[in-house]
Amino acid sequence: MTTGLWELVLKGIWTTVQLLVLSSLLAAAVSFVIGVARTHRLWIVRFLAGFYTEVFRGTSALVMIFWVFFVLPPAFGWQLVPMWAGTLALGLTYGAYGSEIVRGALKAVDPAQQEGGIALSFTPWQRMRLILLPQAVPEMIPPFSNLLIELLKGTALVSVMGMGDLAFSGNLVRLALQESAGIYTYLLLIYFVIAFLLTRLMRGLEKKLKAGVGKEPTREVQVPQPVGGGVG
């Protein structure tokens, strides 16, 4: 490929990374807000959070991108740039999946921990912040890692808006060179490298969060000494 085509691919990688970071931040925020809301003591809060989850899990991310980019402007009189439209659609969609991860991890914490916080007169927020989340967050990392990889692959959907992400740039290069096998092989390798780096990053985060969590204190084993003298 020529230098200009390589620059086009590099710009596509940078756009994909930007979109991945922004949409993952939004998805993480939505995951925790909706996930915690699904464990709320008020039924109306649980119902609204559950309704949001079912709606966004049951709709296509591609159709959501179309809806945000093409339907919202005529309805509300304003236009989102492709980056923000993609961020909003992907973040809200994948955040719905992440909320189930948060809810499941919170429910998996030993109920005795919750009861201990009540016995100590902690408020619900204090129990969540000091007891539940520190134990639940490390268990969320592996499924969140998988979700992050799925989100990376989902960023290719924004190419339908004409956004110059990696998939869109790769297609332009394919049209310019009239070659499919080599270009799409390059794209597969680039996505794989990004996914591999993300996996390693999440594993490191998991080890850091799990350090010292749930470990029993080490006890020094003492060998009992015989009392009195031996038998003569």
Side-chain angles (χ1 to χ4, degrees), residues 1-144:
M1 288 193 299
T2 63
T3 303
L5 293 179
W6 274 116
E7 289 179 356
L8 184 63
V9 173
L10 291 177
K11 288 180 181 179
I13 294 174
W14 174 238
T15 300
T16 294
V17 171
Q18 284 182 296
L19 179 62
L20 176 64
V21 172
L22 293 174
S23 57
S24 61
L25 290 176
L26 177 59
V30 171
S31 297
F32 277 93
V33 171
I34 301 300
V36 171
R38 296 205 66 187
T39 65
H40 202 274
R41 64 182 184 276
L42 295 179
W43 73 269
I44 186 62
V45 177
R46 296 196 304 271
F47 172 79
L48 292 176
F51 179 76
Y52 170 88
T53 302
E54 294 302 325
V55 168
F56 279 87
R57 283 196 311 173
T59 54
S60 168
L62 179 60
V63 176
M64 188 60 64
I65 290 174
F66 280 128
W67 196 85
V68 171
F69 191 67
F70 295 109
V71 176
L72 283 181
F76 296 95
W78 46 266
Q79 177 71 57
L80 287 174
V81 296
M83 175 64 75
W84 294 115
T87 297
L88 185 62
L90 293 175
L92 294 178
T93 300
Y94 285 88
Y97 291 97
S99 66
E100 283 296 284
I101 297 174
V102 174
R103 184 189 67 84
L106 291 174
K107 289 293 186 179
V109 176
D110 191 344
Q113 301 290 329
Q114 179 90 329
E115 295 170 1
I118 296 175
L120 293 172
S121 299
F122 284 179
T123 64
W125 169 242
Q126 287 176 322
R127 294 197 299 271
M128 180 65 66
R129 181 172 58 90
L130 300 175
I131 298 176
L132 297 179
L133 284 178
Q135 298 180 67
V137 168
E139 303 303 323
M140 301 177 193
I141 300 302
F144 265 136

Side-chain angles (χ1 to χ4, degrees), residues 149 152 186-199:
I149 301 303
L152 168 64
Y186 282 133
L187 293 184
L188 287 176
L189 290 175
I190 293 172
Y191 276 113
F192 172 77
V193 169
I194 298 175
F196 180 80
L197 294 176
L198 290 175
T199 301

